[in-house]
């Protein structure tokens, strides 16, 4: 299959789309179910229909566009991403995967190519999770991870529910949002990390997603006056916390593994310039593609917390509030993406994603893989997010190759199915 | 002079006074110019008058009680403390110095002793600074550190001004609040630190107060996703901050000096579990009785901040927002307190105060010293504040000795004056 996408048409659509909710600094502000998100949805639905797709909106507001295949009762190849953004986020995050999917359809239309399997493209609701938590809510309900009622009940900081806001913008569809028979799923997405840019590559063939552990920890010391309290009688919860921040950094350096670790949140009480910190609550985020590495890191940090508490004679607690195993994508789908990257002579590497995506949830119900394209300097979730347009086009062509290969029914894929 | 105070009368007054604004956990809640503070003032004025003192209220609401001496035109010996409390504070902080001063007067009255110099006792307004900042406002205006209008304009968190609230509770007096001729000042106060309790002593002869520096510092890094960002490309403002928390602790241990250091306040942005901290603002409090030690510590921490910023490749700033020199009390008054401690066979030590007191401001206009009594476990500013009653009585007797010595006019004190 030698169909390639039209860079010009794709870019022209991308520029038009980037004006919806555009910010002063060339980003976009289209958080989930906002008015700007509504306008973006209207544009997507219009373009899907213009491309001859059958559009359905499901109960979660996920937008599907279907192109029939020659084998009408075959399960479809699904591909897409999301169009909601961070507050003042970037133009590429999610959008390249949805508009890239649309461009694949248009190019197949132009080339008059009919696939064996139906093709479905999708824009998932509420991937970012900045207005309504948790993130990846649309794909989560679609794959049975969350109940619909749970999703509807999620509230933003003003107390508006997801369900009411979805109704308000007119995107609470009739179609059931539930697991169904999908042949496989592909997602084109910006890397949101620096690896591809650092190595000057155009494509990442994504083998899976890091597992992670989230720890919620606390030290409890004694709030004394910073003046009259001698050093040897202090029980400073912040000094103990600082030991852990250092320990997390040291652990990632000394483990000889792919472990990354972050203390992202610290809350000090009473947080006063002349009072010794009585209590500190903090979080630890530990990630690796190897589950055992994450488990060992959790144990190590727990030991560090216990030792720091002993040194400073403070109380401590440490609770694992979330634990997600590493998520290896389907080996066959990963190979499909790799073949597609080779077919267009893309400079690529196999890699693992540090962050979660809708693809993670899809991977629980059907064979899945992802295609990454570079984020310059690894920047994402800000207005400064940028990807060279040539790389976006290469990514869409890899998506084209992966989708069309999997949409072709051969004896092998039949067996696989 | 062999007059000693009456432990029973003193304690009975202390118990009555402790019921004003009493909290469930045996503390007191009498913040400055509150209704409970008004009741406490009324009780003080009543007792001052009962003791035969001439009461004057000045423009700042400072309450003075005067007992004439035989040399009517001599400058008075002034002694006292404050009766405002922290929110849910302790019963001893300030109160022992005011009721102790009253007990000295009563006991001299009972013994029929007339001093050469007039004696004046005082309850200063707004020592704590919890409702209206800055602290020590009453003694600050009295000694010319602050303007009256500045003091009146200070607002609490509800926007009420000090001046209006003083008027409201009926303690905006007519008497000018301004520097005048004072022979010397003594203040009996709980230590609010653990030294006396640790060494099982009853009295601290206070030679002066620590100087200190307050630093307001900031690191600016890069807010990346905690998953896809490799360790070697991070610019984590919190990791840099943790280096400084550790450096402050290390510096106090390695300096071979009396330096104490505290990072009391840390604010992390965006403070999210899975985002590398982009910005951290934090404070450093450095104290010593030696000004050069404080200066050197400030320079050292500034260097540490610069080095931490270089290691993590983050931006930094560090501003000294307050610098108060060490404040040695008058050598003669310190000796007076020491002689008084010896005279009542008190187990005492000479010491330096880590925290500021009204005595600091008085020390700018007249010879001054303080008498400390133990805070059990060093606890203060909380309901759990406690001092053994015997120690309170010893403190009051040392105050008696110091006051009566300085109130006696001899050739030496004339020369000193």
């Amino acid at each position: 299959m030698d169909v390639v996408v039209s860079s010009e048409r794709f870019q022209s659509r991308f520029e038009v789309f980037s004006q919806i909710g555009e910010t002063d600094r060339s980003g976009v502000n289209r958080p989930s179910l906002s008015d700007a998100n509504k306008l973006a949805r209207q544009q997507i639905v219009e373009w899907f229909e213009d491309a001859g797709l059958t559009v359905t909106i499901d109960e979660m507001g996920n937008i599907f566009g279907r192109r029939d295949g020659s084998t009408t009762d075959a399960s479809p190849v699904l591909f897409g991403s999301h169009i909601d953004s961070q507050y003042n986020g970037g133009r590429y995050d999610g959008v390249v995967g949805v508009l890239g999917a649309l461009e694949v359809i248009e190019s197949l239309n132009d080339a008059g190519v009919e696939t064996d399997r139906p093709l479905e493209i999708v824009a998932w609701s509420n991937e970012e999770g900045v207005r309504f938590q948790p993130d990846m809510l649309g794909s989560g309900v679609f794959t049975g991870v969350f109940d619909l009622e749970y999703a509807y009940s999620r509230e933003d900081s003003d107390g508006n529910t997801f369900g009411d806001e979805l109704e308000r913008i007119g995107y609470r569809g009739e179609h059931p949002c539930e697991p169904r028979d999908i042949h496989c799923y592909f997602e084109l997405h910006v890397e949101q990390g620096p690896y591809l840019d650092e190595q000057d590559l155009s494509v990442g063939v994504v083998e899976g997603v890091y597992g992670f552990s989230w720890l919620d920890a606390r030290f409890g010391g004694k709030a004394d006056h910073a003046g009259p309290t001698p050093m040897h009688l202090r029980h400073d919860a912040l000094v103990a916390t600082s030991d852990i921040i250092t320990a997390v950094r040291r652990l990632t350096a000394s483990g000889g593994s792919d472990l990354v670790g972050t203390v992202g949140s610290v809350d000090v009480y009473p947080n006063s310039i002349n009072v010794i910190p009585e209590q500190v609550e903090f979080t630890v985020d530990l990630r690796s593609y190897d589950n055992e590495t994450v488990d060992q890191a959790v144990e190590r940090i727990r030991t560090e917390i216990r030792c720091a508490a002993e040194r400073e004679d403070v109380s401590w607690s440490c609770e694992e509030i979330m634990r997600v195993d590493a998520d290896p994508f389907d080996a066959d789908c990963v190979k499909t993406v790799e073949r597609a990257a080779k077919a267009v002579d893309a400079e690529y590497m196999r890699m693992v994603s540090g962050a979660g995506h809708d693809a993670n949830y899809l991977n629980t119900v059907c064979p899945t893989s992802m295609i990454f394209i570079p984020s310059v300097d690894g920047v994402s979730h800000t207005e400064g997010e940028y990807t060279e347009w040539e790389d976006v086009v290469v990514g869409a062509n890899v998506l084209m190759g992966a989708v069309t290969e999997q949409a072709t029914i051969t004896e092998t894929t039949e067996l696989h199915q």
Side-chain angles (χ1 to χ4, degrees), chain A:
Chain A
M1 197 93 42
D2 290 311
V3 183
V4 291
V5 303
S6 157
S7 172
E8 294 71 28
R9 175 175 52 204
F10 188 6
Q11 188 163 24
S12 128
R13 278 223 179 89
F14 182 77
E15 295 301 336
V16 168
F17 203 71
S18 296
Q19 288 167 26
I20 304 174
E22 190 177 20
T23 67
D24 290 344
R25 296 195 290 175
S26 303
V28 292
N29 191 30
R30 297 189 302 239
S32 194
L33 313 191
S34 62
D35 290 345
N37 181 243
K38 176 183 178 176
L39 291 174
R41 286 165 174 271
Q42 288 169 337
Q43 179 64 80
I44 283 293
V45 168
E46 185 188 319
W47 282 337
F48 278 18
E49 288 174 343
D50 288 350
L53 297 170
T54 306
V55 173
T56 56
I57 316 285
D58 74 12
E59 297 160 307
M60 278 297 291
N62 297 318
I63 303 171
F64 296 88
R66 180 182 169 100
R67 181 178 191 264
D68 284 333
S70 58
T71 310
T72 47
D73 60 345
S75 57
V77 172
L78 182 67
F79 50 115
S81 190
H82 63 93
I83 55 171
D84 63 318
S85 82
Q86 295 274 321
Y87 292 114
N88 298 316
R91 304 192 293 172
Y92 300 84
D93 181 0
V95 171
V96 294
V98 175
L99 295 187
L102 176 61
E103 185 53 41
V104 166
I105 297 290
E106 295 267 25
S107 301
L108 290 173
N109 288 350
D110 289 353
V113 173
E114 183 177 39
T115 55
D116 295 341
R117 293 185 177 280
L119 304 183
E120 279 196 47
I121 67 176
V122 62
W124 301 108
S125 287
N126 201 64
E127 193 273 345
E128 297 291 357
V130 291
R131 183 177 172 200
F132 300 98
Q133 285 83 41
D135 53 7
M136 305 187 288
L137 204 53
S139 57
V141 173
F142 181 80
T143 56
V145 175
F146 304 121
D147 289 339
L148 183 64
E149 289 315 310
Y150 170 79
Y152 280 175
S153 71
R154 308 310 299 162
E155 290 183 5
D156 68 10
S157 57
D158 294 328
N160 303 306
T161 66
F162 183 89
D164 287 348
E165 283 293 285
L166 188 59
E167 184 81 42
R168 182 185 70 80
I169 67 164
Y171 278 86
R172 183 168 175 164
E174 298 287 321
H175 209 79
C177 182
E178 58 189 22
R180 58 185 163 96
D181 192 14
I182 306 284
H183 177 64
C184 65
Y185 176 74
F186 292 107
E187 182 166 351
L188 168 67
H189 204 282
V190 288
E191 179 196 342
Q192 304 182 284
Y195 287 102
L196 294 175
D197 185 47
E198 223 188 356
Q199 300 187 40
D200 207 19
L201 301 174
S202 296
V203 166
V205 175
V206 186
E207 294 182 312
V209 179
Y210 269 36
F212 68 92
S213 169
W214 279 356
L215 306 178
D216 212 341
R218 192 194 60 80
F219 285 118
K222 192 149 158 284
D224 282 316
H225 193 299
T229 310
M231 300 312 292
H232 71 285
L233 293 179
R234 293 180 177 219
H235 306 282
D236 186 327
L238 185 58
V239 167
T241 304
S242 131
D243 285 354
I244 305 311
I245 298 168
T246 305
V248 167
R249 174 60 65 94
R250 191 173 54 231
L251 181 58
T252 61
S254 61
S257 69
D258 62 349
L259 182 76
V260 294
T262 308
V263 176
S265 169
V266 171
D267 290 295
V268 180
Y269 177 84
N271 213 34
S272 171
I273 193 167
N274 63 347
V275 180
I276 296 164
E278 178 176 8
Q279 188 159 309
V280 178
E281 291 181 26
F282 63 99
T283 61
V284 184
D285 175 308
L286 297 163
R287 294 176 190 239
S288 164
Y289 195 47
D290 178 61
N291 292 325
E292 206 182 326
T293 297
V294 174
D295 288 339
Q296 284 168 355
V298 169
E299 272 323 292
R300 172 69 171 270
I301 293 304
R302 209 185 287 274
T303 302
E304 296 277 3
I305 288 173
R306 187 169 47 72
C307 292
E310 196 172 319
R311 270 195 297 277
E312 195 69 16
D313 194 10
V314 294
S315 66
W316 66 278
S317 66
C318 175
E319 193 193 347
E320 186 170 59
I321 56 169
M322 195 175 288
R323 178 70 174 90
V324 174
D325 277 347
D327 189 14
F329 287 147
D330 177 75
D332 189 51
C333 280
V334 173
K335 279 183 198 147
T336 296
V337 171
E338 187 166 26
R339 276 191 292 270
K342 282 180 179 163
V344 297
D345 291 327
E347 301 274 345
Y348 78 92
M349 67 186 275
R350 281 181 169 242
M351 64 185 298
V352 174
S353 172
H357 293 280
D358 291 309
N360 285 66
Y361 286 147
L362 271 296
N363 195 38
T364 65
V365 298
C366 67
T368 293
S369 183
M370 292 185 75
I371 301 148
F372 274 174
I373 52 177
S375 297
V376 172
D377 290 334
V379 172
S380 187
H381 283 187
T382 73
E383 295 161 299
E385 188 183 272
Y386 182 69
T387 301
E388 298 284 349
W389 187 252
E390 306 88 85
D391 290 330
V392 178
V393 173
V394 171
N397 279 325
V398 174
L399 180 65
M400 167 75 83
V403 163
T404 51
E405 179 187 309
Q406 286 286 339
T408 304
I409 297 177
T410 64
E411 209 171 315
T412 314
T413 58
E414 285 299 331
L415 281 173
H416 169 76
Q417 187 182 41

